[in-house]
Amino acid sequence: MNTVEQGREREELTRLLSAFKPITLKEMESVQLMSRFDMKYVFRLSQLPAFLKTVAEDYQVLLIDGLQLFRYENQYFDTASLKSYHDHHNSRSSRYKIRYRRYLDNDKCFLEVKQKINTGLTKKSRLRVAEFKNELSSSEVEFTREQLGVNPEQLFPQIANNFSRITLVNIAAGERVTIDLLISFKRGVAERTLNQLVIAEVKQHHVSSLSVWKKLMQSNRIFPTRISKYCLGTLLTNPGIKYNRFKPKLTVLKKICDVAY
C-alpha cells in the first residue's frame, strides 16, 4: 500500500468514524485503564469498515483537535539477549516491555513500562520525556527500576514501530477498544510493513464477556490471540531468531497479510 492508497484508506475511515458520537480525553478519564485486563484480535483491514458500521451505536470515538485516527511511533528497548522477546515467547506469566512512545500528531513523548503479571492483569506506567534517545537517562533508568521493582539489565534500542490508531470507548461498560492499522517495523536496515493487518485490543477494568466488540468478533469467528507488536516486529526483522512457539500465530497472520518468515 503506497502513500496515496494510505491516504485514501484514512479518508474512508474518517468518513465512517463520523457516524460515532465523539468523546474527549477529559471525558474518557474514567477509562484510562493503566491497569486492565486486555484481549487482542487480528483481522484484515478490508473487514474493518463493516465492523465499524456495526458498532457505531455502541461506542464513542476519541476526538482530539478534529482527528479520530492518530499516528504513533514506538522505540522498544531490550537487553542484548532480547529478554523481553524470549520471556514472551516462552510464555512467562510475568514479563515486561519498555519503550518510548511518541504521539506524532501532537509530538508528545513518553517512556512507558508495560508489565504483564501472573493474574493476567496488564499494568502500564509512563514518564513524560522530551525525545527518543539511544540510551535511557539516569532518571529514566530509575523510573524503570521503580516500576519493575528490580534493577533493569542494560537496555538497548531494538526496534522502531509505526502505526495508526482508532480508540473506541464505552463509558458504561468501563471499556476501550484500540484499533491499530498501517503497521510497520524497522530494525537497522531491515524493514517490514503489514498494511493489511489490524490488531484490535479490548481493554477492561474487569474481564467481561458482555463487550459488544467481543461479541462482534465471536460472531465473525475471530478468536482472541496473544500477540505483541514488539515480538512480531522482532521476529520479522531478525532472521534466525527462535520462534517455534509463535508458529500458530504466524500461520494466522500469513492468512491475513501473507507474512513471510
Side-chain angles (χ1 to χ4, degrees), residues 34 115 140 188 200 242:
M34 299 297 276
Q115 301 175 73
E140 291 168 353
K242 182 179 180 181

Side-chain angles (χ1 to χ4, degrees), residues 84-98:
S84 290
Y85 173 87
H86 289 291
D87 281 354
H88 193 113
H89 177 272
N90 295 332
S91 301
R92 288 199 59 176
S93 56
S94 297
R95 55 185 185 266
Y96 63 83
K97 294 184 181 68
I98 298 169

Side-chain angles (χ1 to χ4, degrees), residues 54 57 103 124 142 150 168 204:
T54 300
E57 297 297 320
Y103 298 82
K124 186 171 79 170
E142 180 59 27
V150 297
L168 305 182
Q204 301 173 304

